[in-house]
Amino acid sequence: MNSALSLFQKLEKVLLLETSLGYTDEAVIGGLDSFVAHWRDEAQQATYEPAIDQFISETRALLETYSGESVSRRREMIEDVFGHWERLEPHVSSHGSEASSPETVQPTKAAPPPSRTSLCSPVQELHGVSDNYARRLERLGVGTIQDLLYLFPHRYDDFSALKTIDKLEYDAEVTIIGTVRETKERVSKRGQNIVTSTISDGTGTVQATWFNQPYLTRRLKPGKQIVISGKVDQYSGRATFSSPTWEPLDEELIHTARVVPVYPLTRGITARWLRRLMKRTTDYWSLRLPDHLPVAIREERDLIDLESAIRQIHFPDDWSALEQARRRLAFDELLMIQLGVLGQRHEWQERSGQAVQIDSSLLRTFIESLPFALTPAQERALSEILGDLQKSKPMGRLLQGDVGSGKTVVAAAAMLVTAASGMQAVLMAPTEILAEQHYSSLEKLWDELWLPGLTKLSSQLRLLTGSLKRSEKAKIYEEISSGQARIILGTHALIQEGLSYDNLGLAVIDEQHRFGVTQRASLRQKGHNPHVLVMSATPIPRTLALTLYGDLDISTIDELPPGRKEIVTRWMKPIERERAYAFLRARVLESQQAFIICPLIEESDKIEAKAAVEEHRRLQEEVFPDLRLGLLHGRMTTDDKEAVMRDLYAGELDILVCTPVVEVGIDVPNATVMLIEEADRFGLAQLHQFRGRVGRGEQQSYCLLLADSPSDAGIQRLAIIEGTQDGFKLADEDLAIRGPGEFFGTRQSGLPGLRLARLSDVRVLEEARAVAREIWAEDPELKLPQNRLLSSRVDEFWQRGKGDLS
């Protein structure tokens, strides 16, 4: 062949014919793999640029087993060939007068796209992204060019340390630049192809080995200068590289000799393909990404521009540049959330509500009738809530407090004064059993209280759940709509269509993070802008709470009632398992109950953790055959879960084996032991929530933590949880040690998920909140010229996260 172009056209013609025939291996006589072998031999008669030589070898390697593969695998193989073709146009053009098909031959550099292409265009508009590749990218959440820019690396390999061969140290991640002296190919006894190159840099030599990449024998020819990055291994007393990343020295380095981005992958997308695509895309499109953050804010807060941030988050010059980029993009995310929740708060508080007339005498009678005195923290929270209730603007308040801190009593006082004022109050709980428990406890608290007009308060109390018979539900619906029922407790049934309230004045939502913003909005719509109080038993630092619940004012109960017994918490080693079982049995024989938490539902080959289903069977048959064990996990139906929890509450089970679904929503005063398997796999907040399921009664309670082989971070968490009972202190510790990830509750609360912001970004979080308030004070509707791009970006951000601003 005198031209690479004609060589490619010949291959392309056959591959397109094979595609049109449905990958039946009938495009050429003898099969496609045979054809490609002859095509490679023909290509070897001429000398081409290294990039073309590499493509020829890669194509042969990709298709050499074609005949023996399934149809779906054959399709993938051909698509991979076309995908590798995308970088060759400049090389092909230098060997011929025309380029091949624009759908298959694509430029390496960021060539200008068609004029109609924009950041909102489908990712298929990018060179090298076929429909098939687009479908694969969609699995990574990428649909548009802008989505691709915001597909951030999940980690980085530091190959920036450049070493000479004589200075190599075992286990170090390094980069060397050298010249190939020799490359050999052999086949192992297992049939594995092994390519070994000897590389020299003048200070010494080192061997690099690759597996099942036979085309490298043609790419790594003696005299070729290359860059290698990887971990230094030891073999027979010599330094070696095993499957290192490499690139020719004369090309732009994106896989080696730098801080290298590592992206999330999916089937059919390789790390090198995605990294090349991302480099071309960021080079061209980051220049065209409008910066929504006004210049004045960037300068005041020392934030880099968006173009630089996008470039550096993908291909950082160094670690310092990467941190600057991450700080800017994390700031953006937190600012978007703050502006969104401020908008929600503004929209809600612009409405007019109903002021509650506080009956001080009735309130005092209620507080004096309690079998305990309110703590100062409870009194402070109640005062803040009553102050809101007396305003004509609807309240939006979060009441947070540790497990057992007495939130329900405070909410009960608020519901009491609302009912006494002639309005209705509702309390929505996440489970039927918890709603029933609230009903039972409030009925006792209000047993001797009378509303004005000589009406007994407990007679105004109703329980509305989904499991009620149709006739019972219809009767309660009528009592609610007529106003005969003043205080209604229930589950999602409280916001069902067809249920209307006579005069809803207060809506209380228990275990806030189990409900979404949509449910909160639905409750509000049931009345004339009722006051809303949401409660959370998961303490989170105030700064974080102000971000997650920025549309709400916050009241915090940060102390427990006096005399409450601490839950004895003990981290036990694997050899102490039998001792833990014996301790649990002893408690059960004293008519107490216990929980055993397992991380998984069923056994997994990938994660070696105790599985609830299998563990329940083992414990029932081998450890506690004489005891009554129940099973609870997330794959059970709601009715089945409720039935198990009722059995436990009624004392018909001794031990409940369960997954983390028990974290909230169940209160069993007789449960005194919480045994947590694989405790090192859980975060501090979750461990504290598990522990809070016991210690509800008068007996001493215990939390036993079992961990077979905890990591350093796991050991740190276990030591912390063992040493403190303070949920707020634990929340601060959690904030300090948690890595990247979603903020607590963002998924459940209706807030968009975060890609870069971390729980530890307290300073950035505070800056974003301050800036949001400054912007809001000047331009609440974001209509000033400098804020128009920002307004558009806020809308995009919340729409992407399916956030709910209503």
Side-chain angles (χ1 to χ4, degrees):
M1 298 285 290
N2 296 322
S3 167
L5 179 59
S6 57
L7 177 72
F8 288 171
Q9 288 174 331
K10 182 176 182 179
L11 175 64
E12 180 184 33
K13 182 177 179 180
V14 171
L15 294 182
L16 290 176
L17 176 60
E18 176 64 8
T19 300
S20 68
L21 293 173
Y23 310 99
T24 58
D25 201 24
E26 296 175 352
V28 289
I29 297 174
L32 186 59
D33 50 359
S34 178
F35 164 81
V36 173
H38 290 297
W39 175 82
R40 183 193 65 173
D41 293 339
E42 186 178 5
Q44 290 176 337
Q45 302 302 313
T47 300
Y48 299 113
E49 292 182 24
I52 297 177
D53 283 338
Q54 181 178 359
F55 172 76
I56 293 169
S57 297
E58 288 175 343
T59 300
R60 173 71 182 106
L62 279 168
L63 298 176
E64 62 184 349
T65 62
Y66 187 88
S67 297
E69 301 289 347
S70 66
V71 170
S72 61
R73 178 64 186 135
R74 290 173 180 175
R75 180 176 65 249
E76 291 177 357
M77 294 164 80
I78 289 179
E79 288 172 356
D80 284 343
V81 172
F82 284 145
H84 287 195
W85 209 322
E86 43 90 15
R87 66 180 182 273
L88 291 180
E89 186 184 56
H91 307 281
V92 176
S93 297
S94 66
H95 286 265
S97 58
E98 295 180 347
S100 188
S101 166
E103 295 182 358
T104 55
V105 179
Q106 304 295 349
T108 325
K109 301 296 181 182
S115 58
R116 69 182 183 279
T117 306
S118 70
L119 285 160
C120 297
S121 296
V123 74
Q124 292 96 313
E125 295 285 336
L126 295 173
H127 293 298
V129 182
S130 64
D131 288 345
N132 287 315
Y133 269 105
R135 282 192 287 272
R136 296 170 188 173
L137 287 169
E138 191 173 355
R139 296 200 293 266
L140 298 174
V142 173
T144 67
I145 294 172
Q146 182 161 303
D147 289 340
L148 188 63
L149 290 177
Y150 280 85
L151 177 66
F152 299 136
H154 63 81
R155 66 178 178 85
Y156 300 83
D157 286 333
D158 189 356
F159 294 146
S160 58
L162 187 63
K163 295 284 187 179
T164 54
I165 293 174
D166 65 333
K167 294 292 194 299
L168 293 182
E169 297 177 357
Y170 298 134
D171 295 326
E173 298 272 2
V174 300
T175 294
I176 65 168
I177 299 175
T179 302
V180 177
R181 294 304 181 199
E182 181 183 42
T183 298
K184 295 181 179 179
E185 179 182 1
R186 64 184 177 86
V187 178
S188 70
K189 293 179 180 179
R190 296 183 177 181
Q192 191 176 39
N193 181 278
I194 301 174
V195 173
T196 302
S197 283
T198 302
I199 299 145
S200 170
D201 69 351
T203 70
T205 61
V206 69
Q207 280 196 338
T209 304
W210 293 269
F211 303 93
N212 294 324
Q213 300 180 59
Y215 61 87
L216 291 180
T217 55
R218 291 182 50 76
R219 295 286 287 128
L220 300 174
K221 294 179 178 178
K224 186 177 186 66
Q225 289 187 304
I226 63 173
V227 183
I228 283 184
S229 293
K231 182 179 179 181
V232 182
D233 293 324
Q234 181 179 4
Y235 181 74
S236 298
R238 297 185 57 190
T240 64
F241 288 91
S242 179
S243 300
T245 303
W246 75 278
E247 292 178 279
L249 180 59
D250 57 0
E251 293 184 7
E252 181 182 19
L253 302 179
I254 62 173
H255 308 295
T256 61
R258 62 177 307 138
V259 178
V260 177
V262 180
Y263 295 94
L265 300 176
T266 187
R267 181 182 173 88
I269 289 182
T270 65
R272 292 178 73 95
W273 181 89
L274 184 54
R275 205 174 287 131
R276 286 195 301 266
L277 173 65
M278 202 64 84
K279 187 66 170 70
R280 292 196 309 271
T281 305
T282 53
D283 283 350
Y284 183 86
W285 284 104
S286 64
L287 297 167
R288 291 152 180 82
L289 193 63
D291 198 331
H292 48 267
L293 203 58
V295 176
I297 293 176
R298 296 205 308 265
E299 292 178 348
E300 178 186 352
R301 298 291 171 173
D302 192 25
L303 296 164
I304 63 176
D305 60 87
L306 187 59
E307 175 202 337
S308 299
I310 291 294
R311 282 175 173 268
Q312 293 297 326
I313 202 71
H314 288 289
F315 296 95
D317 293 336
D318 51 41
W319 289 104
S320 174
L322 173 61
E323 182 52 33
Q324 283 189 318
R326 200 198 66 79
R327 177 172 172 265
R328 161 62 204 269
L329 295 169
F331 179 91
D332 279 0
E333 290 183 328
L334 297 171
L335 180 65
M336 297 305 114
I337 282 188
Q338 278 296 288
L339 289 172
V341 295
L342 283 174
Q344 180 181 342
R345 180 189 183 93
H346 175 75
E347 189 273 336
W348 173 241
Q349 292 197 332
E350 281 296 297
R351 304 176 182 180
S352 61
Q354 299 183 81
V356 174
Q357 302 300 317
I358 306 297
D359 187 331
S360 300
S361 175
L362 178 65
L363 180 61
R364 186 167 53 252
T365 300
F366 168 62
I367 293 175
E368 290 175 352
S369 72
L370 295 172
F372 48 81
L374 295 182
T375 65
Q378 285 175 305
E379 291 178 344
R380 181 179 64 246
L382 179 57
S383 177
E384 292 167 348
I385 293 167
L386 295 177
D388 284 353
L389 291 177
Q390 295 177 77
K391 297 176 182 177
S392 58
K393 286 189 175 182
M395 173 179 70
R397 185 169 287 276
L398 167 68
L399 176 60
Q400 68 161 347
D402 215 338
V403 172
S405 60
K407 297 181 299 298
T408 303
V409 170
V410 174
M415 290 188 286
L416 167 65
V417 296
T418 302
S421 184
M423 291 181 260
Q424 293 170 304
V426 301
L427 188 154
M428 185 164 72
T431 65
E432 289 197 5
I433 187 70
L434 188 56
E436 291 172 2
Q437 290 173 350
H438 279 313
Y439 180 84
S440 176
S441 62
L442 290 178
E443 199 173 32
K444 292 176 184 176
L445 285 176
W446 292 336
D447 185 48
E448 298 302 324
L449 285 180
W450 295 76
L451 294 175
L454 298 180
T455 303
K456 195 170 184 179
L457 178 58
S458 57
S459 70
Q460 304 280 296
L461 191 60
R462 298 292 183 276
L463 177 65
L464 180 62
T465 61
S467 62
L468 287 176
K469 295 179 181 178
R470 182 175 297 181
S471 59
E472 294 174 328
K473 195 176 295 184
K475 182 174 183 292
I476 294 178
Y477 271 33
E478 173 59 32
E479 292 173 338
I480 292 173
S481 63
S482 68
Q484 183 180 347
R486 295 274 190 94
I487 298 178
I488 308 97
L489 312 180
T491 56
H492 289 81
L494 296 171
I495 55 175
Q496 295 300 309
E497 290 185 15
L499 174 60
S500 61
Y501 292 84
D502 174 54
N503 185 14
L504 182 59
L506 172 65
V508 180
I509 301 174
D510 194 19
E511 302 293 358
Q512 156 63 15
H513 73 284
R514 296 289 294 271
F515 295 105
V517 176
T518 303
Q519 283 90 353
R520 196 194 309 170
S522 298
L523 258 182
R524 284 172 169 166
Q525 293 164 7
K526 287 293 185 181
H528 178 67
N529 303 328
H531 299 283
V532 175
L533 176 67
V534 299
M535 301 194 296
S536 174
T538 304
I540 51 179
R542 183 172 180 80
T543 305
L544 186 55
L546 288 170
T547 293
L548 293 178
Y549 305 114
D551 60 320
L552 304 171
D553 294 309
I554 298 176
S555 293
T556 301
I557 302 178
D558 52 7
E559 58 183 315
L560 296 177
R564 182 179 170 87
K565 294 180 180 178
E566 286 195 353
I567 300 168
V568 176
T569 304
R570 180 70 58 82
W571 169 24
M572 307 184 77
K573 305 299 187 292
I575 60 173
E576 298 180 281
R577 182 178 302 278
E578 294 305 319
R579 183 181 169 194
Y581 289 157
F583 179 82
L584 191 152
R585 173 184 288 278
R587 301 282 79 73
V588 170
L589 292 179
E590 291 181 6
S591 300
Q592 298 171 22
Q593 293 167 289
F595 295 97
I596 297 179
I597 304 285
C598 301
L600 300 178
I601 297 172
E602 295 170 349
E603 289 291 358
S604 167
D605 292 333
K606 296 181 179 179
I607 304 175
E608 294 181 359
K610 296 291 181 182
V613 173
E614 177 58 29
E615 185 70 351
H616 172 262
R617 182 201 61 76
R618 186 186 72 83
L619 290 170
Q620 183 68 86
E621 294 178 1
E622 301 175 16
V623 183
F624 304 113
D626 54 326
L627 302 182
R628 301 168 298 174
L629 272 63
L631 175 64
L632 182 68
H633 59 71
R635 292 184 188 172
M636 294 168 61
T637 65
T638 300
D639 289 345
D640 288 344
K641 289 179 189 175
E642 295 281 353
V644 171
M645 289 193 288
R646 281 195 178 89
D647 287 345
L648 185 68
Y649 187 67
E652 295 176 9
L653 294 175
D654 299 315
I655 301 171
L656 181 64
V657 180
C658 55
T659 55
V661 295
V662 77
E663 179 183 348
V664 295
I666 188 169
D667 185 358
V668 184
N670 195 45
T672 61
V673 182
M674 169 65 67
L675 189 154
I676 305 173
E677 291 280 4
E678 309 286 355
D680 56 307
R681 295 180 180 271
F682 299 106
L684 285 174
Q686 202 170 21
L687 288 172
H688 186 58
Q689 284 295 306
F690 294 152
R691 179 168 61 185
R693 292 305 101 200
V694 296
R696 299 304 187 95
E698 296 179 356
Q699 302 115 313
Q700 178 64 58
S701 292
Y702 306 85
C703 180
L704 309 180
L705 310 171
L706 292 176
D708 290 336
S709 54
S711 63
D712 291 342
I715 291 172
Q716 182 184 10
R717 286 196 299 274
L718 294 174
I720 292 171
I721 193 76
E722 189 180 34
T724 183
Q725 302 278 321
D726 187 334
F728 288 93
K729 182 177 180 181
L730 288 171
D732 286 328
E733 294 282 0
D734 217 6
L735 185 67
I737 65 177
R738 284 277 293 275
E742 286 190 350
F743 276 17
F744 163 77
T746 53
R747 187 178 303 279
Q748 297 95 326
S749 67
L751 297 175
L754 300 174
R755 291 169 172 164
L756 283 177
R758 299 172 182 168
L759 281 173
S760 54
D761 287 329
V762 176
R763 182 178 175 185
V764 179
L765 193 157
E766 291 175 339
E767 286 184 332
R769 185 166 182 268
V771 168
R773 287 187 171 276
E774 291 169 6
I775 293 172
W776 196 260
E778 180 185 19
D779 183 21
E781 296 184 2
L782 302 181
K783 288 188 175 180
L784 292 177
Q786 68 267 30
N787 291 331
R788 285 175 183 167
L789 281 175
L790 184 58
S791 175
S792 175
R793 183 65 183 141
V794 170
D795 290 342
E796 288 176 11
F797 181 81
W798 281 81
Q799 186 175 15
R800 182 207 79 200
K802 295 182 172 59
D804 186 348
L805 293 172
S806 61

